[in-house]
PDB file of all heavy atoms in Angstrom:
ATOM      1  N   ARG A   4      77.697  94.444 111.047  1.00  0.00           N
ATOM      2  CA  ARG A   4      76.614  93.611 110.547  1.00  0.00           C
ATOM      3  C   ARG A   4      75.432  94.478 110.119  1.00  0.00           C
ATOM      4  O   ARG A   4      74.768  94.209 109.131  1.00  0.00           O
ATOM      5  CB  ARG A   4      76.184  92.628 111.636  1.00  0.00           C
ATOM      6  CG  ARG A   4      75.103  91.680 111.167  1.00  0.00           C
ATOM      7  CD  ARG A   4      74.843  90.566 112.145  1.00  0.00           C
ATOM      8  NE  ARG A   4      74.620  91.064 113.489  1.00  0.00           N
ATOM      9  CZ  ARG A   4      74.376  90.275 114.544  1.00  0.00           C
ATOM     10  NH1 ARG A   4      74.363  88.981 114.392  1.00  0.00           N
ATOM     11  NH2 ARG A   4      74.174  90.792 115.730  1.00  0.00           N
ATOM     12  N   THR A   5      75.167  95.536 110.891  1.00  0.00           N
ATOM     13  CA  THR A   5      74.072  96.440 110.544  1.00  0.00           C
ATOM     14  C   THR A   5      74.323  97.112 109.218  1.00  0.00           C
ATOM     15  O   THR A   5      73.445  97.192 108.356  1.00  0.00           O
ATOM     16  CB  THR A   5      73.889  97.499 111.641  1.00  0.00           C
ATOM     17  OG1 THR A   5      73.640  96.853 112.870  1.00  0.00           O
ATOM     18  CG2 THR A   5      72.732  98.437 111.299  1.00  0.00           C
ATOM     19  N   CYS A   6      75.531  97.622 109.017  1.00  0.00           N
ATOM     20  CA  CYS A   6      75.858  98.308 107.768  1.00  0.00           C
ATOM     21  C   CYS A   6      75.755  97.351 106.592  1.00  0.00           C
ATOM     22  O   CYS A   6      75.255  97.718 105.527  1.00  0.00           O
ATOM     23  CB  CYS A   6      77.254  98.919 107.844  1.00  0.00           C
ATOM     24  SG  CYS A   6      77.371 100.312 108.974  1.00  0.00           S
ATOM     25  N   ARG A   7      76.270  96.104 106.775  1.00  0.00           N
ATOM     26  CA  ARG A   7      76.229  95.152 105.681  1.00  0.00           C
ATOM     27  C   ARG A   7      74.789  94.848 105.305  1.00  0.00           C
ATOM     28  O   ARG A   7      74.424  94.783 104.137  1.00  0.00           O
ATOM     29  CB  ARG A   7      76.957  93.869 106.085  1.00  0.00           C
ATOM     30  CG  ARG A   7      77.031  92.848 104.955  1.00  0.00           C
ATOM     31  CD  ARG A   7      77.740  91.581 105.407  1.00  0.00           C
ATOM     32  NE  ARG A   7      79.106  91.850 105.836  1.00  0.00           N
ATOM     33  CZ  ARG A   7      79.515  91.695 107.089  1.00  0.00           C
ATOM     34  NH1 ARG A   7      78.686  91.275 108.026  1.00  0.00           N
ATOM     35  NH2 ARG A   7      80.768  91.954 107.414  1.00  0.00           N
ATOM     36  N   SER A   8      73.938  94.669 106.316  1.00  0.00           N
ATOM     37  CA  SER A   8      72.535  94.389 106.021  1.00  0.00           C
ATOM     38  C   SER A   8      71.872  95.556 105.331  1.00  0.00           C
ATOM     39  O   SER A   8      71.092  95.394 104.399  1.00  0.00           O
ATOM     40  CB  SER A   8      71.791  94.075 107.319  1.00  0.00           C
ATOM     41  OG  SER A   8      70.438  93.857 107.071  1.00  0.00           O
ATOM     42  N   SER A   9      72.196  96.770 105.784  1.00  0.00           N
ATOM     43  CA  SER A   9      71.611  97.955 105.152  1.00  0.00           C
ATOM     44  C   SER A   9      72.045  98.074 103.710  1.00  0.00           C
ATOM     45  O   SER A   9      71.247  98.407 102.830  1.00  0.00           O
ATOM     46  CB  SER A   9      72.005  99.213 105.942  1.00  0.00           C
ATOM     47  OG  SER A   9      71.529  99.129 107.266  1.00  0.00           O
ATOM     48  N   CYS A  10      73.333  97.783 103.453  1.00  0.00           N
ATOM     49  CA  CYS A  10      73.830  97.856 102.072  1.00  0.00           C
ATOM     50  C   CYS A  10      73.125  96.841 101.192  1.00  0.00           C
ATOM     51  O   CYS A  10      72.778  97.131 100.046  1.00  0.00           O
ATOM     52  CB  CYS A  10      75.337  97.643 102.041  1.00  0.00           C
ATOM     53  SG  CYS A  10      76.278  98.993 102.782  1.00  0.00           S
ATOM     54  N   ASN A  11      72.925  95.618 101.746  1.00  0.00           N
ATOM     55  CA  ASN A  11      72.217  94.610 100.960  1.00  0.00           C
ATOM     56  C   ASN A  11      70.808  95.067 100.631  1.00  0.00           C
ATOM     57  O   ASN A  11      70.324  94.876  99.519  1.00  0.00           O
ATOM     58  CB  ASN A  11      72.166  93.289 101.743  1.00  0.00           C
ATOM     59  CG  ASN A  11      73.530  92.637 101.854  1.00  0.00           C
ATOM     60  OD1 ASN A  11      74.415  92.919 101.044  1.00  0.00           O
ATOM     61  ND2 ASN A  11      73.709  91.780 102.853  1.00  0.00           N
ATOM     62  N   ALA A  12      70.154  95.680 101.632  1.00  0.00           N
ATOM     63  CA  ALA A  12      68.787  96.160 101.380  1.00  0.00           C
ATOM     64  C   ALA A  12      68.776  97.242 100.330  1.00  0.00           C
ATOM     65  O   ALA A  12      67.912  97.294  99.462  1.00  0.00           O
ATOM     66  CB  ALA A  12      68.167  96.668 102.687  1.00  0.00           C
ATOM     67  N   TRP A  13      69.782  98.137 100.438  1.00  0.00           N
ATOM     68  CA  TRP A  13      69.881  99.196  99.420  1.00  0.00           C
ATOM     69  C   TRP A  13      70.102  98.585  98.038  1.00  0.00           C
ATOM     70  O   TRP A  13      69.531  99.022  97.042  1.00  0.00           O
ATOM     71  CB  TRP A  13      71.043 100.130  99.757  1.00  0.00           C
ATOM     72  CG  TRP A  13      70.691 101.248 100.670  1.00  0.00           C
ATOM     73  CD1 TRP A  13      71.150 101.476 101.923  1.00  0.00           C
ATOM     74  CD2 TRP A  13      69.775 102.312 100.405  1.00  0.00           C
ATOM     75  NE1 TRP A  13      70.577 102.591 102.455  1.00  0.00           N
ATOM     76  CE2 TRP A  13      69.746 103.135 101.548  1.00  0.00           C
ATOM     77  CE3 TRP A  13      68.967 102.639  99.311  1.00  0.00           C
ATOM     78  CZ2 TRP A  13      68.949 104.260 101.629  1.00  0.00           C
ATOM     79  CZ3 TRP A  13      68.179 103.769  99.396  1.00  0.00           C
ATOM     80  CH2 TRP A  13      68.172 104.564 100.540  1.00  0.00           C
ATOM     81  N   THR A  14      70.960  97.562  97.963  1.00  0.00           N
ATOM     82  CA  THR A  14      71.244  96.927  96.673  1.00  0.00           C
ATOM     83  C   THR A  14      69.988  96.312  96.079  1.00  0.00           C
ATOM     84  O   THR A  14      69.703  96.463  94.893  1.00  0.00           O
ATOM     85  CB  THR A  14      72.316  95.839  96.848  1.00  0.00           C
ATOM     86  OG1 THR A  14      73.488  96.440  97.402  1.00  0.00           O
ATOM     87  CG2 THR A  14      72.653  95.181  95.526  1.00  0.00           C
ATOM     88  N   ASN A  15      69.215  95.618  96.928  1.00  0.00           N
ATOM     89  CA  ASN A  15      67.978  95.018  96.433  1.00  0.00           C
ATOM     90  C   ASN A  15      67.011  96.069  95.943  1.00  0.00           C
ATOM     91  O   ASN A  15      66.366  95.922  94.904  1.00  0.00           O
ATOM     92  CB  ASN A  15      67.322  94.191  97.545  1.00  0.00           C
ATOM     93  CG  ASN A  15      68.155  92.973  97.923  1.00  0.00           C
ATOM     94  OD1 ASN A  15      68.957  92.512  97.120  1.00  0.00           O
ATOM     95  ND2 ASN A  15      67.973  92.465  99.139  1.00  0.00           N
ATOM     96  N   ALA A  16      66.893  97.164  96.709  1.00  0.00           N
ATOM     97  CA  ALA A  16      65.971  98.231  96.304  1.00  0.00           C
ATOM     98  C   ALA A  16      66.418  98.851  94.996  1.00  0.00           C
ATOM     99  O   ALA A  16      65.613  99.138  94.101  1.00  0.00           O
ATOM    100  CB  ALA A  16      65.888  99.299  97.398  1.00  0.00           C
ATOM    101  N   THR A  17      67.731  99.071  94.860  1.00  0.00           N
ATOM    102  CA  THR A  17      68.249  99.670  93.630  1.00  0.00           C
ATOM    103  C   THR A  17      68.035  98.760  92.437  1.00  0.00           C
ATOM    104  O   THR A  17      67.668  99.205  91.353  1.00  0.00           O
ATOM    105  CB  THR A  17      69.750  99.976  93.794  1.00  0.00           C
ATOM    106  OG1 THR A  17      69.916 100.814  94.932  1.00  0.00           O
ATOM    107  CG2 THR A  17      70.304 100.665  92.566  1.00  0.00           C
ATOM    108  N   SER A  18      68.250  97.456  92.632  1.00  0.00           N
ATOM    109  CA  SER A  18      68.046  96.516  91.534  1.00  0.00           C
ATOM    110  C   SER A  18      66.606  96.516  91.069  1.00  0.00           C
ATOM    111  O   SER A  18      66.320  96.478  89.873  1.00  0.00           O
ATOM    112  CB  SER A  18      68.440  95.103  91.993  1.00  0.00           C
ATOM    113  OG  SER A  18      69.795  95.069  92.388  1.00  0.00           O
ATOM    114  N   THR A  19      65.698  96.568  92.039  1.00  0.00           N
ATOM    115  CA  THR A  19      64.272  96.613  91.668  1.00  0.00           C
ATOM    116  C   THR A  19      63.961  97.847  90.866  1.00  0.00           C
ATOM    117  O   THR A  19      63.266  97.810  89.855  1.00  0.00           O
ATOM    118  CB  THR A  19      63.413  96.586  92.941  1.00  0.00           C
ATOM    119  OG1 THR A  19      63.721  95.422  93.687  1.00  0.00           O
ATOM    120  CG2 THR A  19      61.927  96.589  92.588  1.00  0.00           C
ATOM    121  N   THR A  20      64.492  98.991  91.322  1.00  0.00           N
ATOM    122  CA  THR A  20      64.244 100.247  90.612  1.00  0.00           C
ATOM    123  C   THR A  20      64.807 100.205  89.206  1.00  0.00           C
ATOM    124  O   THR A  20      64.173 100.646  88.244  1.00  0.00           O
ATOM    125  CB  THR A  20      64.878 101.420  91.381  1.00  0.00           C
ATOM    126  OG1 THR A  20      64.338 101.432  92.701  1.00  0.00           O
ATOM    127  CG2 THR A  20      64.587 102.739  90.697  1.00  0.00           C
ATOM    128  N   GLN A  21      66.037  99.664  89.043  1.00  0.00           N
ATOM    129  CA  GLN A  21      66.646  99.582  87.719  1.00  0.00           C
ATOM    130  C   GLN A  21      65.840  98.668  86.804  1.00  0.00           C
ATOM    131  O   GLN A  21      65.650  98.953  85.619  1.00  0.00           O
ATOM    132  CB  GLN A  21      68.078  99.085  87.846  1.00  0.00           C
ATOM    133  CG  GLN A  21      69.015 100.112  88.486  1.00  0.00           C
ATOM    134  CD  GLN A  21      70.392  99.531  88.724  1.00  0.00           C
ATOM    135  OE1 GLN A  21      70.598  98.318  88.670  1.00  0.00           O
ATOM    136  NE2 GLN A  21      71.352 100.403  88.986  1.00  0.00           N
ATOM    137  N   ALA A  22      65.348  97.553  87.350  1.00  0.00           N
ATOM    138  CA  ALA A  22      64.540  96.646  86.532  1.00  0.00           C
ATOM    139  C   ALA A  22      63.266  97.322  86.076  1.00  0.00           C
ATOM    140  O   ALA A  22      62.847  97.190  84.931  1.00  0.00           O
ATOM    141  CB  ALA A  22      64.212  95.379  87.338  1.00  0.00           C
TER     142      ALA A  22
END
Side-chain angles (χ1 to χ4, degrees):
R4 183 170 51 181
T5 302
C6 290
R7 183 181 300 114
S8 178
S9 300
C10 291
N11 290 338
W13 273 116
T14 302
N15 293 337
T17 304
S18 300
T19 302
T20 303
Q21 290 174 345

